[in-house]
Amino acid sequence: MDKFLINGGNKLFGSIEITTAKNAILPILAGCILCEDKIVLHKCPLYADVVNMIKILKNLGADIKYLTKDAEMENNCDIIIDCSNLKSYNIPHELASVIRSSIFSLGSILGRFKKAKVAYPGGCEIGARPIDLHIKGLRALNVKLTDKHGYIYCEGKDMKGGIVNLDFPSVGATENIILAAVLTKGETKIINAAKEPEIIDLIKFLNSMGAKITGAGTSVITINGVEKLNGCEYTPIPDRIIAGTYLVATLITGGKIDIHNFRPDHNQALLEKLKQTNNKWKIKNDILTVKCDGKNKAISKIETSPYPGFPTDMQAQILALQTKSKGTSIIIENLFETRYKHVPELIKMGANITCKDRTAIITGVEKLYGASVNATDLRGGVGLVLAGLCAEGYTTIENVHHIDRGYYKIEEDLKSLGADIERID
Ligand code: EPZ
């Protein structure tokens, strides 16, 4: 069941509740490794990346229970995580290589055990995705690192606070260094830290357990090491990228939907750009209501950049919108060097796009046409879904397991809004 079949042309109507942020709960799950008391996480989503992160915790020896009627994990269930009896500091290749977020478990394993053996991470193939900033940061905390045969070996018995100057405000490297520093004596300063809402959420979670971290959301984060962390209950933030995806989906198909758990403060850059489509929406409390006819004016220029700039994780979705908008749009992808693999697939559907290096130039067309296309990564795959929703005729999308990494049964959600979409063999 790794394909979607979409019969395009239906408008979307109804309401959708945005679930917990993938990129918040992943580092928070890694953070549980630092605590020997029980932790309750509310609204735990079942995205494939989260299920794989839970496998990593279980492999380390964590006891994880699901607060549901039949004690099985279900989407948005509450989970109890008990890391009191961890018996390993090793993340094997078969678990680490499936997701990117295994790499920032390195920081928390080091924080807990002062040693670690972790295989190189995986993640969407959207670029080289090096880990040099992670390694530079851990070395600044006096960790001795060597890597051989695809594993990173760390010796942290002499770990102490230090100053880390990040050449780039890397989300993962910022999270990794925070997690390594929480139980490390002395003061650690991260300069040029990432400011994403998911990092603010991780810091809030850790501080609720007794960590001493300041500067969340700024480019200088300071961590004063503490002896231990205490258990807590926590509800992570909603997923701003899923929220943005449904807003763009409605603009591309037309219709009227209410998006619950919409955090406008997390999506300022996206909302600012979408004003150029000449469509309107209203936000009341945490519900965004968008009503439109599916006609959009092109957005002249979009450049992805670290938060609070335009999010790279919304690039494929907004590019799909531009393929059917009136006018020409320029998109520049500054974060990842090969994050346009959805472009040739959209061209198969009749889109008019030319790509050179990190720049895509899109001239809107009257119609897209259903075709057989291939998902190559999480957000690129979702961009193809959005194109299929408004294309004339049938679109089949292969390899939708990429999409399942960050959306739980997206086809069910879209069907509930009136889309004609099926998951097929
Ligand atoms: C996180 O990836 C997210 N993943 C990505 O979301 C997101 O696109 C990205 O941040 C940027 O916002 C998770 O949080 C699990 P980075 P991460 O380190 O941490 C370079 C999705 O679709 N870099 O901020 O890997 C890197 O090559 C995923 O949900 C180094 O050079 O991103 C890239 O050009 C995709 N050396 C830039 O920094 C390093 O050591 C940003 O990467 C690390 C990164």
Side-chain angles (χ1 to χ4, degrees):
M1 300 286 268
D2 198 16
K3 268 188 215 163
F4 286 155
L5 175 64
I6 302 173
N7 182 11
N10 292 10
K11 292 185 186 297
L12 300 182
F13 293 96
S15 68
I16 188 96
E17 175 117 12
I18 301 303
T19 45
T20 298
K22 168 176 84 80
N23 294 346
I25 195 153
L26 289 172
I28 283 172
L29 286 168
C32 294
I33 294 168
L34 292 166
C35 181
E36 297 185 38
D37 292 344
K38 285 193 177 107
I39 293 166
V40 178
L41 292 182
H42 296 296
K43 298 186 176 178
C44 184
L46 260 181
Y47 316 134
D49 276 10
V50 172
V51 172
N52 284 316
M53 193 65 176
I54 285 176
K55 280 185 194 153
I56 286 177
L57 289 184
K58 285 185 173 172
N59 187 60
L60 293 172
D63 178 40
I64 299 180
K65 287 190 179 57
Y66 310 113
L67 295 178
T68 59
K69 51 192 178 312
D70 47 11
E72 279 298 308
M73 190 164 180
E74 60 192 31
N75 201 33
N76 287 336
C77 72
D78 292 347
I79 57 174
I80 302 181
I81 298 169
D82 180 353
C83 289
S84 55
N85 295 314
L86 295 190
K87 54 184 187 313
S88 164
Y89 51 83
N90 169 8
I91 303 183
H93 172 75
E94 59 272 19
L95 291 176
S97 59
V98 177
I99 48 177
R100 175 74 180 176
S101 48
S102 55
I103 188 64
F104 40 73
S105 317
L106 176 55
S108 37
I109 293 173
L110 268 171
R112 174 78 180 261
F113 292 107
K114 308 298 182 225
K115 58 185 167 192
K117 176 190 170 192
V118 173
Y120 268 76
C124 284
E125 290 178 20
I126 51 180
R129 308 198 79 180
I131 58 168
D132 57 310
L133 297 178
H134 295 251
I135 289 174
K136 174 181 178 182
L138 295 176
R139 284 201 166 121
L141 271 61
N142 209 25
V143 176
K144 308 280 177 287
L145 289 109
T146 53
D147 71 324
K148 52 179 182 291
H149 316 312
Y151 276 83
I152 306 161
Y153 294 82
C154 300
E155 177 43 68
K157 63 182 181 353
D158 302 323
M159 281 172 82
K160 60 183 190 313
I163 295 180
V164 188
N165 273 288
L166 287 179
D167 308 336
F168 183 87
S170 155
V171 170
T174 301
E175 291 164 343
N176 215 349
I177 299 155
I178 289 170
L179 291 166
V182 163
L183 297 180
T184 296
K185 58 181 181 311
E187 181 181 89
T188 295
K189 247 187 210 312
I190 307 172
I191 295 159
N192 196 22
K195 307 176 193 170
E196 273 70 3
E198 293 77 23
I199 291 190
I200 297 174
D201 210 31
L202 171 64
I203 291 172
K204 212 171 133 209
F205 165 71
L206 293 168
N207 282 346
S208 77
M209 296 197 287
K212 289 197 176 0
I213 309 170
T214 55
T218 75
S219 55
V220 179
I221 294 177
T222 304
I223 306 108
N224 277 290
V226 294
E227 283 296 307
K228 74 184 281 292
L229 297 180
N230 307 307
C232 73
E233 281 201 41
Y234 197 77
T235 306
I237 54 173
D239 196 303
R240 60 192 166 101
I241 304 300
I242 295 179
T245 301
Y246 282 103
L247 173 51
V248 172
T250 312
L251 293 176
I252 209 167
T253 60
K256 177 178 184 284
I257 73 166
D258 291 336
I259 305 175
H260 293 251
N261 284 344
F262 191 97
R263 288 282 303 264
D265 54 327
H266 292 169
N267 263 316
Q268 288 303 329
L270 173 68
L271 293 174
E272 191 53 37
K273 284 295 175 187
L274 289 178
K275 283 178 189 166
Q276 290 185 37
T277 65
N278 271 357
N279 282 297
K280 300 243 178 305
W281 50 83
K282 66 180 191 326
I283 298 171
K284 192 159 178 290
N285 301 327
D286 68 348
I287 302 173
L288 179 142
T289 301
V290 54
K291 183 169 183 285
C292 55
D293 59 6
K295 291 188 175 54
N296 298 277
K297 198 170 156 312
I299 298 169
S300 52
K301 187 173 181 189
I302 297 154
E303 281 212 59
T304 65
S305 62
Y307 195 88
F310 189 92
T312 176
D313 293 347
M314 279 300 302
Q315 178 257 100
Q317 299 92 313
I318 207 148
L319 190 151
L321 178 66
Q322 298 315 296
T323 64
K324 257 201 74 193
S325 295
K326 194 165 172 40
T328 298
S329 175
I330 296 176
I331 296 184
I332 301 174
E333 172 51 67
N334 290 312
L335 274 290
F336 292 104
E337 60 273 30
T338 51
R339 199 168 199 175
Y340 283 133
K341 291 180 184 164
H342 41 287
V343 168
E345 304 302 307
L346 290 167
I347 290 170
K348 284 182 197 166
M349 299 174 74
N352 178 350
I353 311 170
T354 50
C355 250
K356 186 162 177 5
D357 300 330
R358 292 178 180 246
T359 302
I361 299 172
I362 308 106
T363 303
V365 294
E366 269 305 301
K367 262 192 191 148
L368 292 178
Y369 298 90
S372 279
V373 292
N374 187 30
T376 53
D377 56 81
L378 164 54
R379 310 299 178 184
V382 165
L384 299 178
V385 171
L386 301 191
L389 292 176
C390 70
E392 187 178 280
Y394 285 91
T395 297
T396 49
I397 304 175
E398 315 238 351
N399 296 316
V400 296
H401 61 272
H402 288 293
I403 300 172
D404 295 336
R405 301 179 61 137
Y407 297 78
Y408 181 68
K409 294 186 180 172
I410 191 174
E411 74 278 10
E412 297 305 324
D413 282 346
L414 288 168
K415 218 183 286 183
S416 74
L417 296 170
D420 182 348
I421 179 172
E422 290 298 331
R423 187 182 289 255
I424 60 171
D425 269 328

